[in-house]
Amino acid sequence: MKPLAVLSTVLLLPGMTFLGAVPASATTSCADLNQVRIPASVISLPTTGGRVTAAAVTSSVVSGQTVEYCQVDADLYPVDRSAPAIKMRVALPHGWNGKALMFGGGGYNGTIPALTGNVPFAAADAPAPLARRYATFASDSGHQQGAGSVPSLDGSFGVNDEAVRNFAAGDALKKTHDASLFLIRRAFGKNPARTFFAGGSTGGREALVVAQRWPRAFDGVISGFPAWNNLAEGLYLGHLTQVLSRPGAFPGPAKQTLLYDSVIAACDGQDGVLDRVVSNQRCQFDPRVLRCPDGADTGPTCLSDPQIGAVTAMSTAFRWPYRVASGETQYPGFPFLSGADMRTPFLGFGTTAPANPMPVTSGYGMQYWDQWVKYFLTRDPGFNSLDLDPSRPGKWLGRISELSEIQDRNNVDLRPFARSGGKLLLLHGSADELVSHRSTNDYYERVRDLLGPKTTDEFLRYYLVQGANHANFGTPAFVAGWDSLTALEHWVASGQSPRHPVVTDMAHNRTRPLCEYPAWPRYRAGDPNSASSFTCAR
């Protein structure tokens, strides 16, 4: 088998360039990487080292291209022998472009993200990183999802402290980064010229973690719809779980559709065009206009008083009347304009009310809360999560405060990342049903308040994508696509920030300007399917 560096000089596709040939003498063949020991000394956080468990040349069709690469699987061993290993994977492409990209996970993680995948909200015609011949890598964040569990909703690893820190504090991110760069050096004879990170939801939180905790590890970061204040959102979801489990409070799918259609009817035109995308977030909607006669449930054409209370709870900030170590005091809830997009109920209310045991047809967030209570908080799998009221946690307050320091350690001091030359693209959909864009607004405003507008603008761009939901899941009103990786590459390499970016609705053949928060696209005149017909209004 040819060494990877030799292959990299002969398998370039037409139009591609290789950034610096690597001497063949400095490389290791793919087969020779198998069973290579990863020394603990190359990892900056405590481990007992690791080992490659498999290495083989494979090929995949990525963005319409057949890409040949060496797939390397490895385990990183814990310090606590009772903790699970971190399972990681690296794709080393033939025709390597000299750069690397790490993918973040989702939910509770537990599986290795596909290294052939793309970045959050990627455009349909934007090649995935591996198709661009990036070396890509990722891990399961330090635990393996249990058999039969709902994907990304297995929190059972939370009974182990090291596994919790690997996942919630982000320790597994740096351990995986360091081990992956060791293997890249072993294969190609040098470090990547540039290293990037991309992730959405939990992966978006992880993107902000690496920028904050290890400001020199990544040159550029893409953070999509980040669940950055993980415990704070968990407490909010616990509060919503309590409300929705009350007798008669749960609005079923038909009533969720009624609510969504009513919001669209009331607010759609306030951005200047009727397109079923509500861009003007200042629109107000009062769910009481849908009240059933006398407040009793009389069918799918109205909301009862308990159901109005539930949808109001979803759209209202939840504030807890106690102090936690992270300093967080509330979670902002979802405006009706986002939380009312009920065409993907799995990410919102669900199709059935929360109960004990928690149904898999309840909302994703309610199941997430249930797992957190059972394994992170009480560490009692038999505990009924409906018995814990986050407004009055009683004896569990101390543990909640302790976990807040681990899960919500994402402070907003990104000055070291900015000084290192790092660039950050922050994206969120205004119709996100699982992670509130209000929370990302808050994160951005905190960064700007601390660093000042000038410093913030030098390294950070935040775009609120109107009508887009969580990860383009299901059938959102606006299926967002933007080639953010090319924009980030250019910004890092040249210092030129994105100028007048345009986002495509990949389902409806239309474009909109990608406006920097707090601006939003307002229709002026012309073709309503063209971004040129809109202006970014403030």
Side-chain angles (χ1 to χ4, degrees):
M1 180 178 295
K2 295 179 181 179
L4 290 175
V6 173
L7 287 167
S8 71
T9 64
V10 299
L11 292 180
L12 294 177
L13 298 180
M16 295 186 65
T17 58
F18 180 68
L19 304 182
V22 180
S25 61
T27 66
T28 301
S29 72
C30 186
D32 288 341
L33 289 173
N34 193 23
Q35 302 304 314
V36 161
R37 186 176 70 87
I38 302 171
S41 59
V42 304
I43 301 171
S44 61
L45 296 178
T47 71
T48 51
R51 184 172 294 279
V52 173
T53 58
V57 174
T58 186
S59 64
S60 299
V61 177
V62 186
S63 301
Q65 305 175 27
T66 298
V67 180
E68 190 173 3
Y69 56 97
C70 175
Q71 179 172 298
V72 183
D73 292 332
D75 288 350
L76 301 181
Y77 305 132
V79 175
D80 173 6
R81 292 185 179 180
S82 67
I86 298 170
K87 292 191 175 295
M88 54 168 284
R89 180 169 294 154
V90 185
L92 303 168
H94 301 157
W96 183 45
N97 70 2
K99 294 180 281 191
L101 183 140
M102 181 176 183
F103 285 109
Y108 280 119
N109 292 340
T111 57
I112 301 173
L115 300 186
T116 58
N118 217 328
V119 304
F121 288 157
D125 59 353
L130 191 58
R132 304 178 195 226
R133 301 316 192 264
Y134 274 80
T136 57
F137 58 95
S139 79
D140 63 6
S141 82
H143 60 274
Q144 294 77 57
Q145 178 179 300
S149 57
V150 177
S152 76
L153 276 174
D154 179 11
S156 60
F157 67 95
V159 298
N160 182 275
D161 287 343
E162 187 171 344
V164 168
R165 289 197 60 82
N166 275 333
F167 165 77
D171 287 5
L173 301 169
K174 188 59 162 59
K175 295 173 184 178
T176 301
H177 165 276
D178 294 350
S180 298
L181 262 61
F182 167 78
L183 293 171
I184 290 171
R185 289 192 300 271
R186 188 78 176 242
F188 294 120
K190 65 176 184 177
N191 277 322
R194 301 287 189 191
T195 304
F196 297 90
F197 188 101
S201 196
T202 288
R205 173 179 65 81
E206 292 168 342
L208 300 179
V209 167
V210 299
Q212 177 210 328
R213 291 190 65 191
W214 303 288
R216 296 183 179 278
F218 295 91
D219 300 284
V221 170
I222 299 170
S223 173
F225 31 97
W228 68 272
N229 45 355
N230 188 233
L231 183 137
E233 183 174 7
L235 295 176
Y236 160 82
L237 291 169
H239 167 66
L240 192 60
T241 299
Q242 290 258 319
V243 172
L244 291 172
S245 67
R246 295 170 186 165
F250 181 77
K255 299 201 180 213
Q256 294 172 32
T257 300
L258 169 70
L259 179 61
Y260 172 73
D261 289 341
S262 299
V263 170
I264 292 296
C267 297
D268 184 11
Q270 293 195 20
D271 53 14
V273 65
L274 294 173
D275 58 0
R276 298 191 70 79
V277 172
V278 178
S279 296
N280 185 352
Q281 296 291 310
R282 291 175 296 180
C283 179
Q284 299 294 315
F285 179 81
D286 186 348
R288 289 176 296 184
V289 302
L290 300 176
R291 185 174 185 261
C292 297
D294 300 321
D297 192 345
T298 58
T301 60
C302 60
L303 298 178
S304 68
D305 284 345
Q307 290 161 353
I308 290 172
V311 299
T312 300
M314 188 176 196
S315 65
T316 304
F318 172 61
R319 297 176 175 85
W320 38 93
Y322 47 83
R323 297 174 65 88
V324 295
S326 68
E328 295 299 317
T329 60
Q330 60 94 34
Y331 190 80
F334 294 79
F336 283 117
L337 305 180
S338 59
D341 190 348
M342 300 304 172
R343 290 172 297 170
T344 52
F346 178 60
L347 296 182
F349 280 128
T351 56
T352 56
N356 183 45
M358 190 64 67
V360 296
T361 48
S362 62
Y364 187 102
M366 291 86 228
Q367 296 181 64
Y368 194 97
W369 161 257
D370 182 66
Q371 292 286 299
W372 182 81
V373 169
K374 284 175 163 53
Y375 298 108
F376 282 61
L377 184 62
T378 68
R379 290 181 163 172
D380 176 3
F383 192 92
N384 179 3
S385 62
L386 297 182
D387 288 341
L388 198 145
D389 182 354
S391 297
R392 295 179 293 275
K395 68 177 183 178
W396 301 109
L397 175 56
R399 176 63 175 163
I400 288 173
S401 184
E402 178 186 354
L403 286 168
S404 78
E405 282 200 291
I406 300 171
Q407 294 181 248
D408 287 356
R409 66 178 300 168
N410 240 327
N411 73 57
V412 297
D413 190 357
L414 298 178
R415 284 175 292 192
F417 181 71
R419 285 194 296 265
S420 74
K423 307 300 180 187
L424 170 60
L425 293 177
L426 187 57
L427 300 155
H428 209 131
S430 70
D432 195 310
E433 323 88 317
L434 184 58
V435 177
S436 176
H437 75 264
R438 286 175 172 174
S439 182
T440 303
N441 298 351
D442 179 45
Y443 179 90
Y444 173 77
E445 288 161 2
R446 291 191 201 184
V447 173
R448 199 170 179 87
D449 288 345
L450 180 64
L451 276 64
K454 182 176 183 297
T455 299
T456 302
D457 290 347
E458 288 172 353
F459 81 100
L460 170 59
R461 289 292 181 276
Y462 172 34
Y463 302 105
L464 184 59
V465 187
Q466 306 300 329
N469 75 345
H470 195 80
N472 284 334
F473 185 86
T475 55
F478 195 96
V479 182
W482 178 48
D483 189 359
S484 57
L485 182 54
T486 294
L488 184 62
E489 290 173 328
H490 184 65
W491 195 5
V492 167
S494 70
Q496 182 67 58
S497 62
R499 295 293 178 91
H500 308 298
V502 170
V503 62
T504 298
D505 180 351
M506 297 182 289
H508 303 102
N509 192 29
R510 57 185 174 178
T511 58
R512 292 287 183 272
L514 197 54
C515 300
E516 291 181 37
Y517 175 84
W520 49 276
R522 180 166 60 193
Y523 178 71
R524 296 180 301 177
D527 181 0
N529 291 320
S530 173
S532 62
S533 301
F534 293 76
T535 185
C536 287
R538 291 181 179 267

